[in-house]
Amino acid sequence: GQYQQARQDYLLALAQSTAETSTVFFRQQAFSGEVDQLFTAHKSNQSFVFTALGLAETKLENYSAAIIAFDSALKHQPRSADLYVNRGLAFQKSEQTDRAIEDYQKALVLSPGHLLARKNLEALQQSYVMSDFALMDSAVVNNPHLPYAYAERG
């Protein structure tokens, strides 16, 4: 589908010589559809291409490839909160929860008002709390005569 084609296009853009211009990309605003940037695959735009590649890989559920692409984008833009959120989501989808939490926290250090980072971090922390309750419930069911499980569960 479209994400498969996008991945191929972005890989091609990254493979081109930095002096060669055979393809021009454009970026559209999310809601208006207006073009807000034209660019080629030159070195100064590699962060954008790596980011777009990471997003395509995430949509294709190739999370390890997405993480690698976001790592590359972060080498060009290490202070981008959005890149940490995108990589955090790839970590989260690949069940690397601790690394996802780290990335969401880094995003919030860089941009304290980043709503998606805060929402994703809170959701992961809430799932940890819920899993702790599930463990305590299991301990009570499996050992109903031990008071420690009751005390820990509250």
Side-chain angles (χ1 to χ4, degrees):
Q2 68 182 6
Y3 294 110
Q4 189 74 22
Q5 183 61 49
R7 178 175 59 185
Q8 291 172 356
D9 290 344
Y10 292 126
L11 289 172
L12 177 64
L14 291 170
Q16 286 181 343
S17 165
T18 57
E20 179 182 340
T21 302
S22 63
T23 306
V24 176
F25 297 92
F26 66 94
R27 184 173 70 185
Q28 292 181 309
Q29 291 290 331
F31 299 105
S32 70
E34 297 175 5
V35 173
D36 74 346
Q37 184 178 10
L38 292 172
F39 64 94
T40 63
H42 292 123
K43 198 153 195 80
S44 63
N45 296 310
Q46 283 188 328
S47 176
F48 179 85
V49 177
F50 280 122
T51 301
L53 177 61
L55 293 171
E57 295 289 10
T58 300
K59 288 290 189 179
L60 292 167
E61 299 180 4
N62 297 328
Y63 302 120
S64 59
I67 291 165
I68 291 168
F70 292 132
D71 286 345
S72 296
L74 280 162
K75 287 178 185 171
H76 295 277
Q77 288 186 294
R79 301 201 41 83
S80 171
D82 289 338
L83 286 174
Y84 282 106
V85 170
N86 289 331
R87 189 176 69 176
L89 184 60
F91 280 132
Q92 185 176 345
K93 296 272 188 181
S94 64
E95 300 180 7
Q96 297 181 59
T97 306
D98 291 339
R99 295 188 75 186
I101 287 172
E102 288 174 21
D103 273 1
Y104 296 144
Q105 289 171 335
K106 285 178 189 173
L108 288 170
V109 166
L110 294 169
S111 178
H114 201 292
L115 293 178
L116 188 56
R118 185 165 311 287
K119 177 186 155 294
N120 290 354
L121 180 60
E122 288 172 358
L124 283 177
Q125 289 172 334
Q126 183 65 27
S127 70
Y128 268 165
V129 169
M130 296 303 285
S131 67
D132 286 346
F133 282 127
L135 287 173
M136 289 299 118
D137 286 344
S138 175
V140 167
V141 168
N142 292 328
N143 300 298
H145 59 282
L146 294 177
Y148 306 111
Y150 289 101
E152 287 293 320
R153 184 179 69 174

